[in-house]
Amino acid sequence: MPATSNNRFVEMHALTALEHMRFTTRHRIEGTYTGRHASRQLGGAGEFVDYRDYTPGADLRRLDWKVLARTGKAYVRLFQDETNLLCTLAIDASGSMQFGADPPGAKKSKLEYVQYLACALAHVINRGQDQVGLAILADELVACIPPGGTASHVTFIQETIEQLTPRPTVHMAGALRQLFEQSRQRGVLLLMSDFLVDDLDDVFATVRLFRHRKSEVVVIHVIDPDEERLPAGAAYRFTGMENEGVVHCSPDEIRDLYAERFSAHAAAVRTLALSNGCDYRRVSTAIPYLQTLGGFLVERSG
Amino acid sequence: MFVNPWAILIGVLAAGLPLAVHFLTRPRPVRMPLSTIKFVHEAVLHRRTRHRLRDAVVLAMRCLAVLLVALAVARPFLGQAGLSTVDDQADLVRVVVLDVSQSLAATSHGIEAFERARSLAAGQLEYRRGMKADLILAGARPASIFKRASSNFQVLRDELSKARVKPEKSAVQEALNLASEIIAREDDSKGLRREVVIVSDFQRSNWAAADFSVLPEGTRIELQSVAPAETPPNLAILRVAAQGRAEVGRDLRLEVEVANYSESPQTVTVEVLLGGASVQLSGLCGPNLKTVLTGELPLHETGWQTGEARLLGVSDALAADNVRACVFDVRPAPRLALVTRESAAKRPSASYFIERAVAPVPGASGDGAGPEAAGEVPSSATGGLLRLDPAKLDREAVGSADLVIVVQPGRLAEDSINQLVGVVRRGRGILYVASDAADAVNLRQIAAATSGILKFPVEFAPPAARQPRRNLFLAEMQKDQPPFQIFGDELPALVETLRFSGGLDSRRLEGALAEDILGQYSDRSVFLASATLNAGGFVVLNADLTASNLPMSPLYVPLLGEIVQKLLGQGRRAGEIPCGEPFALSLPPDAAAAAELTIAGPARGDGSPVDGEAAVGDLADDGAGVMWKGDAAGRPGAYRVMHKNSPIFAVAAAIPAEESDLRTIPAKVFEERLAGGREVHFRSLSGLGADERDTVWSWLAVACVVCLVGELAALKGFKT
């Protein structure tokens, strides 16, 4: 991994502070290579974890003969394999993720924030000898890079992230289903989105498919603080970022109702995520992404 | 029916203001892309119905409030439509007579009666198929808008909207005659219906002698009264005059007649401004009574003085009659000429008594000195009195005298007769003390010298030898006329002791005016008689002063003083003409030619004349001098005839006193006594409960407030 990068979303100097941290998972996973994560395979090459009664057909190589000799009872020794992590970063590239970039340069849009966060995550995951992949979600699966662990693979992923452009879309379930169909391995799916889609239930129905596959799904709900409350002012002409049209209104008249609706939306996303066994994390773009990432990694590491 | 229908139009326009303000003041929206527009849209959809309802309610309340204010200003009268029968489609000719006299300016409940009248008249001039109408504005000189009834209602309504109250009384009968002529011009071969609608306050003073019989048979007469149910209280100045002659250096004794047309006594205060001086007169005026306030005002300048009398602290129904203009001719001290044959030294004598009465300055007159002592009667002066010998009358001396007193002149020569007649023609006065046969002849010759224009009410003759005049006393006097007026209730006691002997018998002439006989003896002969010629006055005192106790009576000096003041004021009396009435005034004989004179109207507060009203009437030379004539006197105020920027004559135009009495005639009188056999329908706003209906505007105002409160409640409710 080079010490510097031309990618504007990769701040190598800042990421050095996170190099000692690893992205971990509390679930047993399936990996391609041996790694530091508990594998779903209980083979014989790993660390001894437990006994279980012998059943006919069990591998006799794992039978604990000494115990059988002493007690007359047949037990099979179980060993935990350790494997590497296959992590897929799924980024929502819908138009709504562009919010926050007006006026340009004033602050990061949600998409830019996610781009920074995803590049940093890819770097951290790669530093942990794990494999990282990328999926760009819009109305359809825009890009899908299978997990890989080489430095060039990570650089490619980061370049892909850098070149990401938002698309006006209001449905994400289809793209997520495509991703599900294309990926065959059990790993970790980091779904980064604002979830401002019309098919929220379908999205989480698809998420459930990942969960059925025993993949771990981490839902990162990106929220811009300016979305939580309407701006002050007598009258606004709001234009949709995904071709939803124009709405004239006086924010004062709907401020409370809007906040109520938005809170309900955020709560719905959280409820859906948690009820589907996902790890939910609400991320505000007002907090620096490195701080967000640090906290996330610490929390994950337990 | 509205008092101010124009307010409706303004209200309709103003009702759009809240809408205009609402849309014009809407904030300019700021464009902003938003990712969560879905939530905004949902919120707006949820709120929009509520907000639109709120806006609609608030705007409706505001517009309604504005309309209600306009309606309140318009002052609706409920139930006024259809006062006149419009029940069929027959052809109809309708003449609307609108009273524009001063009394219509009276206000009741804050509304001028004329505005009510205008509204009622407008209702009668609405277009209707087959109807023709005309409008008569009944002032002092009623005039119709068209010569014949017309269907051009627009013009009639325009003229109606321009109509204004005039400071004059209404010539009721002339208006009825005019209406009759207009109706008579219409051909009734088609069974034309005729209607005369009269909108007025039906003042008792104007309408008591109305005769509706002049209207054609079958004419339906509808009287619409705008007078309130209760006659509104009104105070008025009816007359401003001076007692006697206005002389410089002497206080002018003012008389201001004030009327109290109300049911309670009023303490009135009148301020009279004349020239640079002012005086306040106060007194108590009983209910429905007139009272005369008197006071004295110092005069420092000669010439015509104009001013006004004003009621102070009065707020009554008719404000216009609280002010009255007045003019006075302030003259220098009078010059009196005593024409007598008697010697100044002879005492007692009639001339001596006269001299002492009119010029009570003792001494002078060359008592016992000079030619008088020798029995001659030369011209001599005693105070302001110039004694002249009738045999050698000095033409210049007689011409310059303001008053000539003739006592014991003996038989006058023709030249002397002519000189005396000339005195009267020039507007001066003559007091003739008649006592013997020569006086009877002189008086007859004086009357003859005027070609009969100077008419005495009686013919004087020497008493018959068999019926000497002795122990006569005064039997009849005109107590309310000068010179007896000032004695008031004490007059009987004062004259009771008077006894007369001598004098002339008198025979009443045919056609003589009773008013010219001011006093009579117990034998029906005349004690005091007056006559006028042009502007001059002639008073005959038929008494032998040396043969009666009159000179010794306390009545004598004031009586002579009153007679002298009456004669001195003759022709110079403060003139007053009623507004709107035609007038013809003779200017003083010494006035310049008409071409050199101009007329100045009432001045504004700053003294400048009012445009378009400066000149009223015309000045024309005639044989006897300059006549000032006009078809209609102008608005109230002082009018002056100017010669080289100085007034030589003035007159005050004033509102006729009848207009101040706002009492009305009951409907029954019209329908039973004045109808003249015609079908008369009397409708009154008061009879229909106008006062109650007149409160509609206040209910509208309350509704307006309710709307505003409702608006606030709506805002509060929707905010909650």
Side-chain angles (χ1 to χ4, degrees):
Chain A
M1 194 80 178
T4 58
S5 173
N6 294 327
N7 193 316
R8 68 185 178 102
F9 294 110
V10 180
E11 299 172 320
M12 293 304 292
H13 293 290
L15 291 175
T16 52
L18 300 174
E19 283 189 348
H20 67 283
M21 304 185 78
R22 294 291 179 266
F23 180 77
T24 59
T25 176
R26 285 184 290 275
H27 296 267
R28 286 183 296 170
I29 56 170
E30 285 183 352
T32 308
Y33 306 105
T34 301
R36 55 188 177 82
H37 302 284
S39 172
R40 291 182 57 81
Q41 303 294 329
L42 296 175
E47 185 181 351
F48 170 78
V49 290
D50 201 359
Y51 289 100
R52 71 170 167 83
D53 291 340
Y54 173 78
T55 54
D59 190 355
L60 289 175
R61 290 177 298 178
R62 305 220 178 142
L63 188 65
D64 192 334
W65 295 102
K66 291 179 181 177
V67 171
L68 179 62
R70 281 199 296 270
T71 64
K73 293 182 180 175
Y75 291 97
V76 176
R77 288 189 292 184
L78 298 177
F79 296 89
Q80 175 62 59
D81 282 349
E82 288 188 337
T83 185
N84 66 338
L85 179 68
L86 301 179
C87 184
T88 302
L89 305 176
I91 298 174
D92 178 7
S94 64
S96 62
M97 292 291 285
Q98 190 66 12
F99 181 78
D102 189 22
K107 65 186 181 75
K108 292 185 181 70
S109 68
K110 289 189 287 186
L111 185 61
E112 287 175 317
Y113 191 89
V114 166
Q115 285 173 303
Y116 277 104
L117 187 63
C119 286
L121 265 173
H123 176 78
V124 169
I125 291 169
N126 182 254
R127 293 293 294 175
Q129 305 302 315
D130 294 324
Q131 292 179 322
V132 61
L134 178 67
I136 307 298
L137 308 176
D139 269 343
E140 57 184 9
L141 189 61
V142 177
C144 181
I145 303 172
T150 62
S152 60
H153 182 80
V154 173
T155 303
F156 175 65
I157 285 176
Q158 289 175 336
E159 286 174 355
T160 305
I161 292 172
E162 184 186 21
Q163 291 162 8
L164 186 61
T165 53
R167 301 174 179 213
T169 177
V170 292
H171 297 93
M172 198 169 67
L176 207 55
R177 176 173 286 276
Q178 283 180 288
L179 175 63
F180 173 76
E181 290 167 354
Q182 288 187 18
S183 61
R184 298 294 180 188
Q185 295 160 317
R186 295 166 177 165
V188 177
L189 175 68
L190 277 100
L191 181 56
M192 289 177 276
S193 172
D194 55 5
F195 294 99
L196 294 173
V197 290
D198 290 347
D199 55 349
L200 191 60
D201 290 335
D202 292 341
V203 167
F204 278 95
T206 311
V207 166
R208 260 197 307 278
L209 295 176
F210 283 94
R211 291 294 298 137
H212 275 296
R213 189 189 275 175
K214 304 299 182 186
S215 292
E216 183 184 4
V217 180
V218 180
V219 172
I220 297 177
H221 189 183
V222 184
I223 292 174
D224 191 300
D226 289 341
E227 288 178 326
E228 294 184 76
R229 57 188 178 277
L230 287 175
Y236 273 86
R237 182 171 178 264
F238 294 118
T239 53
M241 304 182 76
E242 292 169 341
N243 299 331
E244 295 106 324
V246 175
V247 176
H248 290 269
C249 74
S250 175
D252 290 339
E253 296 175 349
I254 59 168
R255 191 179 305 283
D256 295 341
L257 188 59
Y258 172 86
E260 188 181 312
R261 298 271 168 152
F262 189 85
S263 298
H265 165 72
V269 173
R270 183 176 182 276
T271 303
L272 284 170
L274 295 177
S275 63
N276 285 294
C278 305
D279 186 9
Y280 175 82
R281 187 165 188 85
R282 176 171 167 146
V283 173
S284 170
T285 58
I287 301 170
Y289 77 96
L290 289 172
Q291 185 182 336
T292 301
L293 182 58
F296 176 63
L297 293 175
V298 167
E299 189 180 315
R300 297 285 304 180
S301 64
Chain B
M1 302 296 287
F2 298 96
V3 175
N4 303 312
W6 48 265
I8 299 295
L9 179 62
I10 294 176
V12 169
L13 295 176
L17 278 179
L19 293 171
V21 169
H22 176 77
F23 287 108
L24 292 176
T25 58
R26 280 198 308 185
R28 185 183 296 274
V30 178
R31 185 181 176 279
M32 178 179 173
L34 187 66
S35 57
T36 53
I37 194 169
K38 181 174 68 173
F39 303 138
V40 172
H41 194 62
E42 288 172 1
V44 167
L45 281 180
H46 185 266
R47 295 281 188 194
R48 179 156 290 170
T49 306
R50 189 179 167 86
H51 287 164
R52 281 183 175 171
L53 180 61
R54 180 201 63 186
D55 290 347
V57 169
V58 168
L59 282 175
M61 290 286 186
R62 287 178 184 169
C63 294
L64 192 58
V66 172
L67 279 174
L68 287 170
V69 167
L71 276 173
V73 173
R75 304 291 273 264
F77 285 99
L78 300 181
Q80 288 304 294
L83 272 180
S84 183
T85 305
V86 286
D87 53 350
D88 55 41
Q89 298 299 314
D91 288 346
L92 170 69
V93 58
R94 177 181 293 163
V95 178
V96 177
V97 180
L98 177 62
D99 188 351
V100 294
S101 65
Q102 182 66 64
S103 60
L104 269 290
T107 56
S108 174
H109 299 284
I111 307 176
E112 201 174 72
F114 185 71
E115 293 305 324
R116 292 174 173 161
R118 191 205 303 276
S119 178
L120 291 178
Q124 300 297 329
L125 295 175
E126 294 291 335
Y127 170 77
R128 185 189 151 219
R129 192 160 66 178
M131 182 175 112
K132 291 196 288 184
D134 204 348
L135 173 65
I136 296 175
L137 301 177
R141 304 172 67 204
S144 61
I145 304 303
F146 297 121
K147 292 294 178 191
R148 298 178 65 107
S150 166
S151 57
N152 194 343
F153 293 95
Q154 186 60 46
V155 171
L156 293 176
R157 283 196 295 270
D158 287 348
E159 293 296 329
L160 179 64
S161 65
K162 293 176 191 168
R164 297 287 180 272
V165 170
K166 295 180 179 177
E168 55 196 39
K169 70 174 185 178
S170 177
V172 171
Q173 201 54 49
E174 286 182 39
L176 292 176
N177 293 342
L178 185 56
S180 175
E181 290 172 16
I182 292 170
I183 286 183
R185 289 190 189 110
E186 298 300 318
D187 180 15
D188 64 345
S189 59
K190 299 172 185 174
L192 189 68
R193 280 180 47 222
R194 307 182 190 90
E195 281 186 6
V196 173
V197 180
I198 302 171
V199 185
S200 172
D201 56 357
F202 298 103
Q203 259 186 300
R204 183 177 297 178
S205 52
N206 268 344
W207 288 86
D211 179 11
F212 294 101
S213 64
V214 297
L215 295 169
E217 291 275 359
T219 303
R220 187 178 185 280
I221 303 165
E222 186 163 294
L223 310 181
Q224 296 194 347
S225 173
V226 292
E230 302 248 338
T231 303
N234 187 38
L235 289 169
I237 299 176
L238 303 183
R239 182 173 61 89
V240 181
Q243 288 181 356
R245 172 185 157 110
E247 286 178 19
V248 69
R250 204 181 79 175
D251 288 349
L252 174 68
R253 189 165 179 82
L254 280 169
E255 283 183 352
V256 179
E257 187 176 18
V258 180
N260 173 20
Y261 298 109
S262 72
E263 299 302 323
S264 58
Q266 302 275 342
T267 301
V268 291
T269 303
V270 177
E271 183 183 39
V272 181
L273 299 169
L274 187 65
S278 70
V279 65
Q280 284 195 0
L281 317 176
S282 295
L284 183 67
C285 192
N288 290 314
L289 288 177
K290 299 172 186 174
T291 188
V292 176
L293 306 178
T294 57
E296 293 185 343
L297 188 70
L299 299 173
H300 304 293
E301 294 179 6
T302 58
W304 285 94
Q305 303 282 334
T306 60
E308 66 177 22
R310 182 182 296 275
L311 277 169
L312 299 180
V314 170
S315 176
D316 57 3
L318 191 58
D321 60 6
N322 295 342
V323 180
R324 200 171 191 90
C326 57
V327 297
F328 295 102
D329 183 16
V330 183
R331 307 290 295 173
R335 286 163 296 188
L336 308 181
L338 179 61
V339 177
T340 180
R341 281 188 313 171
E342 290 182 333
S343 166
K346 183 183 177 185
R347 297 175 184 175
S349 67
S351 64
Y352 172 76
F353 290 133
I354 291 293
E355 188 178 348
R356 291 282 76 85
V358 299
V361 181
S365 75
D367 290 352
E372 298 157 343
E376 298 178 18
V377 187
S379 297
S380 63
T382 301
L385 187 66
L386 184 67
R387 187 180 277 262
L388 300 172
D389 182 1
K392 296 179 285 184
L393 272 184
D394 182 354
R395 184 177 296 275
E396 187 177 344
V398 172
S400 64
D402 294 303
L403 174 65
V404 176
I405 304 172
V406 184
V407 182
Q408 291 290 338
R411 184 73 182 272
L412 290 171
E414 186 178 354
D415 182 54
S416 300
I417 295 286
N418 290 333
Q419 283 192 51
L420 292 177
V421 169
V423 165
V424 183
R425 284 190 191 279
R426 285 197 298 276
R428 310 294 165 83
I430 290 180
L431 170 61
Y432 199 114
V433 181
S435 60
D436 57 23
D439 295 322
V441 176
N442 290 340
L443 289 171
R444 200 175 300 124
Q445 286 184 338
I446 287 172
T450 62
S451 305
I453 298 174
L454 181 68
K455 285 185 178 175
F456 293 112
V458 293
E459 185 182 32
F460 292 97
R466 291 174 295 177
Q467 291 179 333
R469 294 167 57 85
R470 287 178 188 164
N471 289 324
L472 299 175
F473 56 90
L474 291 177
E476 292 182 21
M477 291 150 287
Q478 294 200 15
K479 299 173 184 176
D480 54 348
Q481 294 290 328
F484 299 108
Q485 185 186 20
I486 60 163
F487 299 107
D489 295 337
E490 296 179 6
L491 183 63
L494 288 169
V495 302
E496 189 180 11
T497 58
L498 294 180
R499 289 294 180 271
F500 298 86
S501 296
L504 300 173
D505 274 340
S506 64
R507 183 175 62 84
R508 190 160 181 174
L509 295 175
E510 192 174 342
L513 295 173
E515 295 84 42
D516 287 344
I517 300 174
L518 302 173
Q520 286 181 301
Y521 288 112
S522 51
D523 65 347
R524 309 292 295 172
S525 62
V526 167
F527 167 66
L528 195 64
S530 69
T532 56
L533 175 63
N534 293 344
F538 201 113
V539 172
V540 178
L541 176 63
N542 179 23
D544 184 352
L545 297 179
T546 57
S548 76
N549 61 353
L550 177 63
M552 276 65 77
S553 164
L555 181 103
Y556 174 64
V557 172
L559 181 71
L560 262 291
E562 281 295 296
I563 294 171
V564 168
Q565 289 300 326
K566 173 182 166 70
L567 289 169
L568 286 174
Q570 197 80 36
R572 301 281 183 181
R573 190 166 295 163
E576 191 175 276
I577 53 176
C579 294
E581 304 285 343
F583 64 95
L585 301 168
S586 296
L587 267 55
D590 51 354
E596 299 176 22
L597 304 176
T598 57
I599 302 169
R604 288 197 187 97
D606 58 1
S608 59
V610 178
D611 296 339
E613 295 186 23
V616 174
D618 298 309
L619 296 167
D621 292 310
D622 69 357
V626 180
M627 287 296 291
W628 180 12
K629 295 179 182 175
D631 294 334
R635 66 187 185 87
Y639 293 81
R640 293 166 298 168
V641 177
M642 311 292 286
H643 179 240
K644 296 179 180 176
N645 291 329
S646 59
I648 60 157
F649 187 73
V651 70
I655 298 168
E658 305 95 297
E659 291 300 306
S660 300
D661 186 356
L662 301 177
R663 288 174 293 179
T664 57
I665 296 181
K668 189 181 287 184
V669 175
F670 280 108
E671 292 168 351
E672 294 179 358
R673 192 162 65 81
L674 300 177
R678 303 295 183 267
E679 180 189 3
V680 174
H681 300 272
F682 188 92
R683 296 181 186 277
S684 168
L685 286 180
S686 57
L688 293 171
D691 291 339
E692 287 75 16
R693 279 196 311 283
D694 201 15
T695 59
V696 171
W697 73 270
S698 57
W699 287 109
L700 290 171
V702 170
C704 174
V705 173
V706 169
C707 281
L708 294 176
V709 172
E711 178 191 335
L712 293 176
L715 286 171
K716 180 76 178 172
F718 280 103
K719 191 175 181 181
T720 304

